[in-house]
Amino acid sequence: MSCSGEIVAEDQLIQIKPMISDQLKKAKYGVSDHSTVGLCHWTKKSFKHEGNCYKHKFYGIQTHSCMEFSPAGMYCENRCVYCWRPMEFYESMKMEPENVSEPYEIMEKLMEERKKLIMGHYGDSRSDKKRLDESLKPSHYAISLSGEPTMYPKLPELIKYLKSLKETKSIFLVTNGQEPEMIQKLKQENALPTQLYLSTNASDYDSFLRINQPRYDDSWERWNKTLSMLKDLDTRTVLRITLIRDYNDQEEMIEGFAKLLEQSSPHFVEIKSYMHIGRSINRLEHENMLEMEEVRKFSEKLVKQSRIFSIMDESYVSRIVVLQNNKRNIERFIQTYANTN
Ligand code: SF4
């Protein structure tokens, strides 16, 4: 149903190319038109009580009932060197409103695809059936699976739709900062996610180009515009720094990152090592990953430089440290935060 009420004809809808769609399905993605859904590695482990993801540890989200998806499955304006997705096949074109599916159509179809991915786990005797049942009605949405979700022009309606579902407790959105207008639209339409992540992996223009390989000529200005909006957004904000050895982990980078933290004053900062997985192994070496001790050291130096942040927690297995903003201190656990805000 388009904004003018007509059903968008199948041939008008943006579709992920059949060849790519087949590869994604082989990799256990669900695909529907221009959207993708997946069962995260941690969600599968949590079905068997074999552990939860670091977002459960840091913020209390329910890993077993997390739905990881993207309404812009194969659309992105950047070609980040550390991306584990098949970004070589990404499209960069604009997603026009008249050529995309409506939010409820996307969610209905992706929920069906996701159900198929979950069904197989009922046959595994190690799976907790109660958790599987609960996972069929997600309480947490991670809008980040692949591509850049803010390219989807109906993102405000999509987030409002998810908020209207009674099981929904939290919605995380990860952006590369290339669509500041969409962040403004989310704000104006009161459709901000529970927690907004800005991918932050360079504190200077040259490193930004080298790591993100952006398509827009004004990509650095776009990213900085999104960064400058964070402190005025009425929601939880996170800078996610992905450290890549010999790309952005040098001592001299810390001062630049500290300035970004001061400028944007996010509630949390996640400092994570690049992980040598997926398609990124064709672009980077195993040696480009940092050891947990190196991530800790970088985080401690950043805390010292930034002065308003302190180390809140860490996850060894995910090679990540999270900082909390002492000047904009909020309850870290979402459920408690939601009940008090
Ligand atoms: S929040 Fe992220 S890491 Fe945790 S289960 Fe969901 S997709 Fe996986």
Side-chain angles (χ1 to χ4, degrees), residues 161-287:
Y161 175 72
L162 294 178
K163 285 182 176 179
S164 74
L165 303 176
K166 73 175 174 33
E167 290 84 10
T168 302
K169 290 200 177 83
S170 49
I171 301 164
F172 285 9
L173 172 68
V174 179
T175 180
N176 62 15
Q178 291 302 297
E179 308 292 343
E181 277 71 32
M182 177 51 81
I183 305 300
Q184 188 61 24
K185 211 168 161 229
L186 292 174
K187 180 181 175 183
Q188 282 158 352
E189 299 187 21
N190 193 20
L192 287 165
T194 316
Q195 193 151 302
L196 176 68
Y197 282 79
L198 175 59
S199 300
T200 303
N201 40 53
S203 59
D204 64 275
Y205 182 52
D206 293 340
S207 313
F208 183 85
L209 291 183
R210 183 179 178 220
I211 294 170
N212 297 296
Q213 302 179 26
R215 291 301 186 257
Y216 286 137
D217 297 339
D218 59 344
S219 56
W220 179 238
E221 290 74 16
R222 286 167 175 260
W223 185 82
N224 277 287
K225 190 166 177 202
T226 304
L227 181 80
S228 66
M229 298 164 87
L230 293 189
K231 63 185 177 309
D232 303 319
L233 294 178
D234 183 18
T235 192
R236 301 159 62 100
T237 54
V238 184
L239 288 191
R240 161 91 61 68
I241 300 176
T242 302
L243 292 177
I244 313 163
R245 191 185 305 286
D246 302 331
Y247 278 71
N248 60 1
D249 69 325
Q250 298 88 335
E251 186 84 24
E252 58 272 23
M253 295 280 187
I254 292 178
E255 194 182 336
F257 279 118
K259 283 206 183 90
L260 297 179
L261 269 56
E262 235 159 270
Q263 237 179 290
S264 57
S265 198
H267 296 102
F268 305 101
V269 179
E270 292 181 6
I271 302 152
K272 191 176 188 324
S273 169
Y274 152 66
M275 298 304 244
H276 195 59
I277 55 170
R279 296 284 179 124
S280 78
I281 67 171
N282 306 326
R283 297 175 230 115
L284 292 171
E285 306 302 325
H286 193 276
E287 294 69 37

Side-chain angles (χ1 to χ4, degrees), residues 87-114:
M87 61 97 170
E88 284 75 8
F89 300 107
Y90 278 171
E91 309 260 357
S92 306
M93 71 203 192
K94 196 161 166 20
M95 301 176 83
E96 298 297 346
E98 61 275 14
N99 300 124
V100 297
S101 307
E102 290 301 316
Y104 73 87
E105 285 170 327
I106 291 175
M107 294 320 295
E108 247 169 44
K109 290 181 180 171
L110 290 186
M111 291 270 193
E112 271 314 302
E113 291 298 320
R114 185 169 173 276

Side-chain angles (χ1 to χ4, degrees), residues 38-44 46 52-56 61-69 140-142 144 172 240:
L39 265 188
C40 166
H41 156 79
W42 286 105
T43 300
K44 289 185 258 185
S46 72
N52 289 298
C53 68
Y54 72 80
K55 289 160 194 148
H56 170 78
I61 69 105
Q62 294 300 315
T63 301
H64 73 279
S65 69
C66 164
M67 176 167 175
E68 187 183 24
F69 77 100
H140 176 70
Y141 293 90
S144 62
F172 285 9
R240 161 91 61 68

Side-chain angles (χ1 to χ4, degrees), residues 13-76:
L13 269 183
I14 301 175
Q15 306 270 339
I16 294 176
K17 291 197 180 82
M19 190 267 283
I20 310 291
S21 178
D22 294 345
Q23 285 189 26
L24 290 170
K25 287 174 184 165
K26 267 202 214 103
K28 295 259 181 283
Y29 280 66
V31 178
S32 166
D33 305 319
H34 46 78
S35 304
T36 51
V37 65
L39 265 188
C40 166
H41 156 79
W42 286 105
T43 300
K44 289 185 258 185
K45 283 173 83 67
S46 72
F47 288 161
K48 294 172 280 189
H49 294 269
E50 290 175 357
N52 289 298
C53 68
Y54 72 80
K55 289 160 194 148
H56 170 78
K57 186 168 190 257
F58 295 173
Y59 313 114
I61 69 105
Q62 294 300 315
T63 301
H64 73 279
S65 69
C66 164
M67 176 167 175
E68 187 183 24
F69 77 100
S70 172
M74 292 304 288
Y75 304 87
C76 189

